Every structure is written in C-alpha cells, then in structure tokens.
Amino acid sequence: MRTLRYGEEGPMVRYVQTALTRAGEDPGTADGIFGKRTERAVRAFQSNGHLLTDGVVGRFTWAALYPYLVGSTFAMLKEGDSPKSVASRYRTDADAIETANPGIAWRTGETVVVPLPFEVTVKDLPYGSFLTACVIEGLVLRYPFIARFPIGGSVTGTRLEALRIGAGPMRVGVNAAHHANEWITTPVTLLFLERYAKAFASGTEIGGIPARRLYETSTLTLVPMVNPDGADLVIGALSEGDSYYESAKALAGFYPSIPFPSGWKANISGIDLNLQYPAGWETARAIKMQQGFTRPGPRDWVGTRPLETPENRAMYELTENDAYDRTLAYHTQGGVIYWDYRGMAPAGSLALARTFADVSGYAVADVPYESSFAGYKDWFLSAFRKSGFTIEAGRGENPLPIGDLNALYAENERILTTALSDVGNT
C-alpha cells in the first residue's frame, strides 16, 4: 500500500478516513483530504495501537487499519473463551462469531475470525478495485458459505473475482460495472449479497422471502466489478503520472466532448466492454463507426474483434461454464429493464421483466436499435435462449453519486430476490 501523509488527497485517503471512523477515531468527513484533523486521528489510532505515533499511514498503520475496511479481525482464544466472551471483548455479536467460525472446537490457542460490529459493504465511498477487494474479503471471512474464486484478470492485471452462494438447482448469474462510470452497481450488488448472507445465517427474510428458501431454490454467482481498471480511472485511483492514466487521457483527447474522466465507460484500453460480445458485433461496429466512435476512447468503441479484452473473455468463459438459467447485468441509469434481443427471449421473460418492474418502479422497454447489439444480455439470449436482463438502475447522470446507493438498493433488492426465486422459471 502507498504511504499516505499530511497534504495528500484522493480515494485512498477516503478509505483511511473511513477505517479511522470505524475504529472510533475522529478524522472528520471522509472527504479524501489528509488534513490536520485526519493526521490527529491517525496519531490517536497509532497511540492506541502501540504503533509509531508519526501521523503517517505507512505499512504497519495500514495493516492495523485493514480490519476496519474488511470488517473482521482475528483473535487467539484464551482459556475458557466462548463466542459470548469473545463478542464481549470486541463489542460485537456472538452469533456473528459462530457463523464466521463453523466447526471451531473453541480450544485455547485457536485463532477465530471476529466480525466487527458494522456492515462490511461501505455505503458512502466510490468503488474501485481496492475497495471492492476489501469488501469481497470481508464477506468471505464473515460468511464462509460464500465461495470466492478468480475468473481472470483485467488489462492491468487486477484479479477479476466471482462470488457464489446457494445450493439450489436454478443457476442465476449477476454482474455489475461493465461500464467504468457505473461503478455504483458494485456496492448495490455487494450489499445485496451481504444482506442475503446475513438473512440466511440468521434464518430471516430478505425482500419478503425466507433467505433459506432462496438458498435451496437457486445458486447465485456474482461478478461485482467487471471493469476495475476503468472504475479506478473514474474515481481518481489512477492519477496524473500513472502510465495507464496518461494513456487514457490521450485517448480521451480524441473525443473532447466527453468529460474526462467522469465520462469514461470503457476499459483502460478504451474498449467498451458491453460492445464486445459475439451477438451482432459487426452491426454494433457499423452503428458506432457511423456515430463517430472510430478509435479507442472513453465509450462506444467496439474494438477490432469480439472478445478482444481479457475482461470480456473472463465473463464469456465463466458464463459458458456455468450455463445460467437467467442472468442480470447491472448498469446505470434510467430506471429501465431490457429483456429481449431480436425476439430471442424465451417464454416467460417478458412476464418476469414486468414482475421486476412491479417491485422496483422501473419501466420495461425495448432497447433502442442503436444500442441493441454486442452486449452481454444480447449474447446470453442468443447463445442460451434463456432469460437475460439488463437493469438500468437509478436515474440521473453517470456516474451516479454514492449518496444514491440506499435508494438504488431499495429499488433493486426485490428484483434480486425475485430473480433467485422460482418466479417465472423457464
């Protein structure tokens, strides 16, 4: 991790500020500015943790702050320890400790996972690759019945990961953030996974449905961030001087009407990942070339061939291997549900889309012709002839602010629980 000190700015400072707040310190608002108040909070944290009290977030301070980003720490059991005594020591919940440590014999000297007393999914910060990885790690620590596995890598080598929950026969695939400036779909889907897992562990409901029924009905595979490099660019995790930033900035210069970096949808190479699937790719290429997208840039460049990018190949191979019964691809914005591709949607898809609309307040619509080809949904429908949907969540201008997250989640929780139920199963 990069060392941070007074005077620095950016998303990594915001993550430090959030970790400090969760640890009980007072850095002020998580504004991404390492000012005097944040420095005092770092010093207080270091002093309380018996670290060098220099106000600088170096290797050891990062290591001490990390549990407050993943939402769990580790404890070595003392003689006579139980879930209740460990929970009391860490001011957390005994049931959560038991869930995180199945099969533990509670012998002296054993190490246990201790979930800390807050939700793992951060709800007030922009998401790039680092925060996404923190939340993924935290969810797997807290809920060991969630499987985590790599599916490939991005252009920069960032690992693309999937999460899996459920033991039911119906296979459901959900993905988010094909487009860089639609990164808010990542916390929407991760927050759903977290609340679903908690409801399953506690035997309660989510979206009005018993979580254990969903678990027995379906198996959910979630790819929470398809485009981590692009998201890092949009949120400022890549900055001037970084070679990938400078390359993207040069590409953006050919499209001066698109704001940089907030208008960036593509991967870091300037290829639009939702125009890369083998479903009318040649038609998409002709349409986008006519619209003026003739070279790599912030959006709508289809590349030189389908599945050209490592991100698209990873999604293609995962989907081929899993052969989902239905998929949901999350985008923003417009409050619209797209459900068909050239008449290939199977019986029941439109009815299921209308159910999604009823529980969310979104509209069901046909995709405009100029956007009708080479998307993930388009390929899934054409390849598998099973129900596939694009959910254009929320309303406004991309990137939607993180302040919209709670509303987006409320709109989409029941879409996701409905997708995991056997409603409209085809």
Side-chain angles (χ1 to χ4, degrees):
M1 299 300 297
R2 184 169 63 88
T3 297
L4 300 172
R5 51 175 47 88
Y6 176 77
E8 297 205 43
E9 298 183 12
M12 296 307 290
V13 175
R14 296 184 74 174
Y15 301 152
V16 165
Q17 291 167 326
T18 293
L20 288 167
T21 299
R22 286 177 162 185
E25 306 299 345
D26 182 21
T29 304
D31 58 4
I33 301 171
F34 201 134
K36 288 294 184 183
R37 189 169 176 178
T38 297
E39 185 181 49
R40 286 194 298 269
V42 171
R43 289 181 181 275
F45 178 80
Q46 291 170 327
S47 178
N48 291 333
H50 307 290
L51 299 166
L52 175 64
T53 309
D54 59 0
V56 175
V57 183
R59 181 174 58 163
F60 296 109
T61 300
W62 264 119
L65 286 170
Y66 191 64
Y68 297 99
L69 291 174
V70 301
S72 291
T73 189
F74 296 90
M76 182 175 290
L77 297 179
K78 302 176 182 178
E79 186 175 354
D81 259 341
S82 66
K84 187 174 181 180
S85 66
V86 175
S88 177
R89 192 153 69 241
Y90 286 89
R91 299 179 181 179
T92 190
D93 182 74
D95 289 340
I97 292 175
E98 290 192 90
T99 296
N101 297 280
I104 291 291
W106 292 92
R107 289 189 291 262
T108 302
E110 281 189 301
T111 299
V112 297
V113 177
V114 182
L116 298 175
F118 47 79
E119 284 188 314
V120 177
T121 307
V122 178
K123 294 181 283 295
D124 58 357
L125 296 181
Y127 272 67
S129 60
F130 174 74
L131 187 55
T132 301
C134 286
V135 173
I136 288 173
E137 182 169 347
L139 292 179
V140 173
L141 284 172
R142 189 170 291 203
Y143 303 107
F145 50 84
I146 298 175
R148 168 193 191 181
F149 55 98
I151 64 169
S154 71
V155 171
T156 68
T158 297
R159 189 163 73 165
L160 303 179
E161 295 193 279
L163 297 159
R164 185 167 287 158
I165 183 174
M170 186 175 67
R171 294 157 296 182
V172 180
V174 175
N175 62 74
H178 266 81
H179 287 149
N181 62 357
E182 298 171 12
W183 54 259
I184 199 170
T185 56
T186 296
V188 169
T189 54
L190 286 172
L191 186 58
F192 173 78
L193 179 62
E194 178 167 11
R195 293 184 177 174
Y196 172 26
K198 183 177 181 179
F200 172 74
S202 61
T204 57
E205 294 184 348
I206 181 168
I209 303 174
R212 291 182 181 175
R213 185 193 304 166
L214 296 178
Y215 193 94
E216 293 166 359
T217 299
S218 60
T219 299
L220 166 65
T221 301
L222 167 64
V223 181
M225 182 167 278
V226 178
N227 188 0
D229 301 342
D232 283 345
L233 176 68
V234 171
I235 70 168
L238 300 179
S239 55
E240 291 187 18
D242 179 278
S243 60
Y244 288 107
Y245 175 92
E246 296 299 339
S247 174
K249 186 177 180 180
L251 294 177
F254 294 104
Y255 299 92
S257 64
I258 300 173
F260 180 81
S262 64
W264 192 274
K265 294 173 65 176
N267 77 346
I268 202 66
S269 298
I271 300 174
D272 192 316
L273 297 183
N274 209 42
L275 290 169
Q276 265 276 292
Y277 292 98
W281 179 86
E282 293 81 3
T283 303
R285 182 179 186 274
I287 291 170
K288 296 306 177 182
M289 292 284 283
Q290 188 175 25
Q291 291 175 343
F293 297 101
T294 58
R295 60 187 303 158
R299 55 177 295 169
D300 289 330
W301 167 244
V302 302
T304 61
R305 63 186 184 278
L307 304 178
E308 179 177 355
T309 77
E311 298 93 343
N312 287 109
R313 290 194 298 274
M315 287 299 302
Y316 179 91
E317 290 168 7
L318 174 69
T319 306
E320 284 275 324
N321 289 335
D322 282 1
Y324 303 117
D325 294 297
R326 60 180 59 155
T327 63
L328 282 74
Y330 264 90
H331 291 258
T332 57
Q333 41 67 38
V336 177
I337 299 164
Y338 298 124
W339 62 281
D340 195 14
Y341 171 67
R342 306 188 72 185
M344 296 181 186
S349 289
L350 178 56
L352 184 53
R354 286 171 174 163
T355 301
F356 291 161
D358 289 342
V359 300
S360 65
Y362 293 168
V364 176
D366 295 322
V367 185
Y369 178 80
E370 64 273 11
S371 302
S372 295
F373 303 94
Y376 177 84
K377 167 189 67 67
D378 310 325
W379 166 67
F380 180 82
L381 284 165
S382 66
F384 296 93
R385 304 300 172 98
K386 295 183 178 181
S387 295
F389 305 90
T390 297
I391 312 294
E392 294 282 358
R395 297 168 179 84
E397 182 177 344
N398 290 331
L400 298 182
I402 191 62
D404 287 1
L405 176 60
N406 288 334
L408 287 172
Y409 180 81
E411 292 166 357
N412 285 279
E413 182 184 76
R414 290 188 63 195
I415 288 180
L416 288 159
T417 54
T418 300
L420 296 180
S421 73
D422 56 5
V423 172
N425 191 18
T426 57

